[in-house]
Amino acid sequence: MFYIGNHLSASKGYEAMGKQAVKLGGNVFAFFTRNPRGGKAKEIKEADVEKYLAYAEEHEFGKLVAHAPYTMNLCAAKEDIRNFSREMIADDMKRMEYTPGNYYNFHPGSHVGQGAEKGIEIIADALNSILTKEQSTTVLLETMAGKGTEMGRNFEELREIIDRVELKEKLGVCFDTCHVWDGGYDIVNDLDGVLTEFDHVIGLDRLCAVHFNDSMNDLGSHKDRHQKIGEGKIGLEAMKRVALHPVLAGKPFILETPNDDEGYAKEIAMIREWTS
Ligand code: FE
Ligand code: FE
Ligand code: ZN
């Protein structure tokens, strides 16, 4: 089964997202657990969740890839931002249990001048205080483009975070194609090599989901600007090889491309064409 979908608005609830995903041709989706800029989360309604779960089963959905607000920063220099980010993720962990067994993806953070070593330590400490044995959610660290002081700029940094976390079985990685490309991994000319490196450094068993994006910028630019599939510097053929790579088969592919609904429907149809 090929699982493809895009980021959907959570404002109307789970069932509405499920239906919207299917309307666009998808069988999985991503959503922000709360306003992407942070703040208070919307109340979860059990009746809505029940309807969604039945709908998802009927339509054979893949694992959801929820996304933490991207403004939070677990390794901020300011203690109040760190605490706020930690509390937000801890609260999201409880909310994720309404839909058990899915993924929760987050940007590891920016060390804002404290240095990568310190950043890794703070992120791992935070995860150690958040993760519980009982949770059914797998928390995904996203591969980042390395813009500014962004952490997760290479596989080694993610590995070092994972190494310091006690409940490693609750952790995975989300492979963002735009970010790894911008981070300097040449998935155009050497996709096999990049995946082999991922395997050596992190282990492919941790690669749980794919953010499927083309990039506006060159290899190693550390810019992080997503482009529509086939219209960027990664290009159609290379994106196709990613979608068809056996190592990534069966993982949820999430589009984060600059599109409206019509554009997403077109991209999803195109990718389905490749993979059918
Ligand atoms: Fe992200
Ligand atoms: Fe992403
Ligand atoms: Zn990005």
Side-chain angles (χ1 to χ4, degrees):
M1 182 73 87
F2 192 77
Y3 297 107
I4 178 87
N6 63 321
H7 259 269
L8 298 175
S9 159
S11 66
K12 291 190 186 121
Y14 286 92
E15 193 195 17
M17 286 192 281
K19 289 188 168 165
Q20 176 68 2
V22 167
K23 195 176 150 201
L24 298 177
N27 54 357
V28 76
F29 58 90
F31 63 100
F32 285 109
T33 49
R34 55 190 78 214
N35 183 308
R37 301 201 67 80
K40 215 173 142 32
K42 218 176 144 265
E43 193 204 332
I44 294 177
K45 300 205 170 63
E46 279 188 52
D48 175 43
V49 172
E50 301 272 298
K51 281 190 209 153
Y52 164 72
L53 291 173
Y55 188 81
E57 203 183 312
E58 183 192 332
H59 292 268
E60 299 182 272
F61 272 34
K63 282 186 198 269
L64 303 181
V65 190
H67 201 305
Y70 48 71
T71 48
M72 56 136 244
N73 186 6
L74 270 188
C75 60
K78 291 189 182 135
E79 200 186 349
D80 56 330
I81 302 178
R82 283 203 305 268
N83 290 342
F84 176 68
S85 303
R86 213 170 45 215
E87 282 159 22
M88 215 152 52
I89 298 186
D91 183 48
D92 280 348
M93 286 301 102
K94 290 185 198 139
R95 295 161 57 80
M96 288 297 292
E97 289 303 323
Y98 281 90
T99 53
N102 287 307
Y103 295 136
Y104 178 84
N105 170 68
F106 79 107
H107 297 177
S110 292
H111 67 67
V112 289
Q114 303 171 94
E117 262 320 297
K118 183 85 188 154
I120 287 163
E121 234 174 76
I122 304 175
I123 295 165
D125 284 351
L127 287 170
N128 280 328
S129 76
I130 294 165
L131 301 176
T132 62
K133 269 200 208 79
E134 294 73 30
Q135 71 178 69
S136 66
T137 305
T138 303
V139 172
L140 307 185
L141 301 155
E142 182 166 350
T143 58
M144 301 308 292
K147 196 169 62 177
T149 63
E150 230 168 40
M151 305 292 308
R153 60 194 292 126
N154 53 43
F155 301 157
E156 284 78 5
E157 283 188 359
L158 295 179
R159 167 64 195 266
E160 283 188 53
I161 295 169
I162 295 167
D163 275 347
R164 287 170 165 79
V165 174
E166 280 153 40
L167 295 169
K168 291 182 177 52
E169 67 273 25
K170 307 295 181 190
L171 288 183
V173 172
C174 176
F175 187 92
D176 186 309
T177 52
C178 167
H179 297 176
V180 294
W181 168 258
D182 283 24
Y185 292 98
D186 191 354
I187 56 171
V188 172
N189 296 300
D190 190 17
L191 176 60
D192 280 333
V194 172
L195 290 171
T196 301
E197 191 171 343
F198 186 102
D199 193 30
H200 287 157
V201 178
I202 302 176
L204 282 170
D205 52 333
R206 296 236 184 246
L207 204 169
C208 295
V210 178
H211 278 175
F212 198 58
N213 308 306
D214 210 328
S215 171
M216 286 188 185
N217 294 102
D218 290 319
L219 175 68
S221 62
H222 303 295
K223 287 255 173 60
D224 189 7
R225 297 203 47 213
H226 302 188
Q227 181 56 293
K228 293 177 185 169
I229 308 302
E231 295 182 23
K233 299 285 173 115
I234 300 175
L236 199 68
E237 287 312 310
M239 291 305 288
K240 198 169 168 177
R241 285 195 293 274
V242 173
L244 293 172
H245 202 286
V247 150
L248 304 173
K251 321 267 181 210
F253 275 62
I254 304 294
L255 294 163
E256 300 176 306
T257 45
N259 272 307
D260 54 15
D261 283 355
E262 199 192 328
Y264 281 124
K266 267 168 85 177
E267 277 188 348
I268 291 170
M270 173 177 77
I271 296 157
R272 285 220 179 280
E273 182 96 344
W274 303 340
T275 55
S276 63

